[in-house]
Each structure stands twice: as C-alpha cells, then as structure tokens.
Amino acid sequence: DTAVSQTPKYLVTQMGNDKSIKCEQNLGHDTMYWYKQDSKKFLKIMFSYNNKELIINETVPNRFSPKSPDKAHLNLHINSLELGDSAVYFCASSQDGRGYEQYFGPGTRLTVT
Amino acid sequence: AQSVTQLDSQVPVFEEAPVELRCNYSSSVSVYLFWYVQYPNQGLQLLLKYLSGSTLVKGINGFEAEFNKSQTSFHLRKPSVHISDTAEYFCAVSFPGAGNQFYFGTGTSLTVIP
C-alpha cells in the first residue's frame, strides 16, 4: 500500500492552462504539505494544512490554490500556468504539527510549454 | 533565523569506500534533525532522524549520523558505500512544538564510482 500517493506522475501542458494535482495519504496523519523542487533540486515549501486548516502559506503566487476536502487529501490547483511553474511538486504528510518526520509522495513532474 | 547548510553539493566516492556528507544548521533553540535520500525520479525517503537521546543515530541502508550540539552539525556517514547509494541526500531541521515547518538544505549529490 502506498503511504502518500500523487496523481498524475507526469503532467505536460501549455502556458495559460489550468491544472490540478491530487494527493492522498493513508497514514492517518493530520498534517499535509506541498513542496516545489526546482531544476537544481532545491526544495521549497508552498503550503501546509493541519486537519483541513491552512497553517503555512509561503510566498506563492495566488495562481496556486490548495484544497483539502478532508485530512487525508490535499490537492493543488494551478491557474494560468507559466513556464516558471515547471518543476517537480511533492506532497508530504506528518503525524501532527510538532515537527516530526514527514513522509513524501513520489512527486509530479510538471512541464509547461 | 534558522538555516541548514550542506557544505558539499557533489561528492564522488569509489565503491566500498567510506563517505561523510556534511550538514550544519543555525538555530538558537532545540531542533529535530533529519536526513532524507532521493533516488532518481523518486520522492524523498527518510534515512534517519534525531529527536532526542543518543547523539549517534542509526538509519536504514547502513547509514548513521551524529548530532553535535556544540558544532551545530549532523553529518551523515557510511563506512562502505555501494553503487545503489548513488542519489541526492537532503539534511533537514524542524523545531519541537513550534509548528510543522521543515527547513531543507540544498542537497548533496552522492555518486558512487565502480
């Protein structure tokens, strides 16, 4: 059983389009995250949700909107895609907000042409 | 301000040789420390963690790390590397009871040479 899963694994789209990435965790965790990994492998946190409530919202364009329908799911919707959005997006989860280890999904490679 | 520094961006090492990947952090408060490994085209996998207790932490795949509070370091070591250890390694820090944000280092690319 996959602990943290993401769909799709690859996403190729054109500038200006709107796309969504889905994330699900079956670990019973309360907190979920979205990270962006650029071409130099640098990891940047984008959002964090604790039990469906937004906790961290880093400096991210408002074209990016997370949605958490329940604590096992955290989806990422991106409007008006730009070339600079091309990256690998990782979902992660942790047991609670006390700083314990995070478990990562396999990533979604987004390519904007 | 908190930060994590991985001093080496690339580390080439011959198979069966020992390796040390360096990580330093800056913080005035207590920290939790982690090492993650990322194999090509995969997500991050937890190698080991330090939350409290013994400063020598053993992880998966024969890796270990030592927490040194005075030097604010958490270096990762393996006595004998395999080809399969070729990957990107990330050091990360978080803060007990202070929220759930991780601070990641910029990564070290380990290449094991046959």
Side-chain angles (χ1 to χ4, degrees):
Chain A
D1 282 347
T2 303
V4 182
S5 59
Q6 295 178 229
T7 54
K9 188 165 175 63
Y10 300 97
L11 187 52
V12 180
T13 188
Q14 292 183 329
M15 286 175 56
N17 285 348
D18 303 338
K19 291 294 179 185
S20 293
I21 306 172
K22 295 186 176 181
C23 177
E24 177 182 2
Q25 55 94 3
N26 62 7
L27 298 167
H29 288 167
D30 292 324
T31 307
M32 297 184 71
Y33 314 80
W34 278 110
Y35 287 87
K36 179 180 180 180
Q37 186 176 48
D38 63 22
S39 58
K40 295 184 179 180
K41 303 282 188 181
F42 181 68
L43 275 163
K44 175 182 167 61
I45 190 165
M46 302 173 69
F47 302 103
S48 167
Y49 267 74
N50 181 267
N51 208 9
K52 301 197 306 176
E53 180 184 349
L54 182 64
I55 301 297
I56 294 173
N57 184 359
E58 291 293 311
T59 306
V60 174
N62 58 15
R63 299 181 294 103
F64 290 80
S65 55
K67 294 281 193 302
S68 182
D70 55 61
K71 73 174 190 177
H73 296 84
L74 181 62
N75 303 323
L76 183 66
H77 189 75
I78 316 170
N79 289 326
S80 303
L81 278 155
E82 301 178 356
L83 291 176
D85 298 332
S86 294
V88 181
Y89 292 85
F90 287 102
C91 178
S93 72
S94 65
Q95 187 168 358
D96 56 27
R98 290 187 237 174
Y100 295 154
E101 64 266 31
Q102 297 182 10
Y103 294 84
F104 283 76
T108 296
R109 182 175 294 276
L110 171 65
T111 303
V112 183
T113 62
Chain B
Q2 298 88 10
S3 71
V4 179
T5 303
Q6 291 184 243
L7 298 165
D8 306 299
S9 60
Q10 296 184 350
V11 173
V13 62
F14 286 103
E15 192 174 13
E16 297 183 7
V19 70
E20 178 180 82
L21 305 183
R22 296 180 293 170
C23 174
N24 286 85
Y25 66 93
S26 64
S27 174
S28 57
V29 299
S30 295
V31 296
Y32 293 153
L33 293 156
F34 308 85
W35 274 100
Y36 283 83
V37 60
Q38 184 180 23
Y39 299 106
N41 298 314
Q42 294 187 26
L44 278 73
Q45 179 182 0
L46 181 67
L47 268 180
L48 47 79
K49 62 185 178 186
Y50 172 79
L51 303 181
S52 65
S54 173
T55 57
L56 183 62
V57 179
K58 294 191 182 299
I60 62 171
N61 301 341
F63 284 94
E64 65 180 32
E66 186 157 19
F67 170 54
N68 188 318
K69 188 175 181 180
S70 62
Q71 296 187 4
T72 60
S73 67
F74 190 55
H75 301 332
L76 181 71
R77 301 185 184 98
K78 186 170 182 177
S80 175
V81 295
H82 301 133
I83 296 291
S84 60
D85 292 323
T86 295
E88 193 82 19
Y89 291 80
F90 292 93
C91 182
V93 63
S94 69
F95 303 93
N100 48 17
Q101 187 158 355
F102 267 38
Y103 295 87
F104 279 92
T106 51
T108 297
S109 178
L110 174 65
T111 301
V112 180
I113 305 163

